């Protein structure tokens, strides 16, 4: 995992987003950003291996157990993106407004190549979730039954 694709897509002289660096402070944070781009979506990011593994979730992270939401894997983002909110200018990648919808910590319960189980401890989101890889960039994000 690295930030090459993230950086290639952006001009840091023009966007307020952080260029970032790959690093880890041993803590595992998550963030959900509401991104009003060409299409509204929610970006779900988990701090893993020094970067934020990221998925775009068109309908948002489910609050009720059993609900399945498409989550499209996107490029890793720098850890500094946990705190990013602002406006990405017209003409730039991801142009639009980014707001922090929820943030907190998480712990991994089970990790396999195509499956990730974790527990979120956020303000809006809490409890067990699972991400299941269904092919290509597509994953399903499901809130587990307690
Ligand atoms: Mn986005």
């Amino acid at each position: 995992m690295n930030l090459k694709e993230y950086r290639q897509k952006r001009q840091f002289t023009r966007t307020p987003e952080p260029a970032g660096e790959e690093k880890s402070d041993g803590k595992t944070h998550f963030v959900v950003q509401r991104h009003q781009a060409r299409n509204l979506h929610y970006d779900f990011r988990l701090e893993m291996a020094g970067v934020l593994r990221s998925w775009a979730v068109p309908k948002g992270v489910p609050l009720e157990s059993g609900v399945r939401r498409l989550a499209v894997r996107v490029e890793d983002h720098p850890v500094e993106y946990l705190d990013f909110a602002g406006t990405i200018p017209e003409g730039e990648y991801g142009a639009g407004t980014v707001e922090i919808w929820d943030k907190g910590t998480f712990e991994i319960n089970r990790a396999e190549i195509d499956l990730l189980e974790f527990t979120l401890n956020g303000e809006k989101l809490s409890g067990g979730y699972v991400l299941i890889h269904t092919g290509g960039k597509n994953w399903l994000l499901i809130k587990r039954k307690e």
Side-chain angles (χ1 to χ4, degrees), residues 35 41 43 45 56:
H35 188 179
H41 60 275
D43 289 304
R45 312 187 195 282

Side-chain angles (χ1 to χ4, degrees), residues 51-118:
V51 295
L52 302 179
R53 282 181 75 180
S54 299
W55 291 261
V57 187
K59 293 187 175 175
V61 180
L63 291 160
E64 291 170 23
S65 62
V67 177
R68 301 147 70 93
R69 292 279 164 81
L70 172 67
V72 180
R73 184 85 160 87
V74 298
E75 75 274 21
D76 294 335
H77 278 51
V79 171
E80 288 89 340
Y81 219 94
L82 286 166
D83 299 313
F84 177 73
T87 301
I88 302 167
E90 273 305 311
E92 298 307 301
Y93 181 73
T97 57
V98 176
E99 295 167 20
I100 294 174
W101 184 82
D102 196 19
K103 65 189 297 188
T105 58
F106 74 98
E107 56 196 71
I108 294 284
N109 306 120
R110 185 174 161 205
E112 295 172 15
I113 291 172
D114 288 333
L115 182 142
L116 203 55
E117 287 184 5
F118 49 91

Side-chain angles (χ1 to χ4, degrees), residues 33-42 57-60 97:
Q33 280 142 331
R34 184 182 187 276
H35 188 179
Q36 179 63 70
R38 193 171 44 213
N39 295 305
L40 172 67
H41 60 275
Y42 293 79
V57 187
K59 293 187 175 175
T97 57

Side-chain angles (χ1 to χ4, degrees), residues 32 44 46 55 57 60-62 64 66-71 116 118 120 125 129-132 134 139-144:
V32 180
F44 179 59
L46 296 174
W55 291 261
V57 187
V61 180
E64 291 170 23
V67 177
R68 301 147 70 93
R69 292 279 164 81
L70 172 67
L116 203 55
F118 49 91
L120 299 179
L125 299 173
Y129 282 81
V130 60
L131 270 165
I132 300 167
T134 57
W139 295 63
L140 283 175
L141 177 57
I142 305 165
K143 183 165 172 46
R144 280 149 58 198

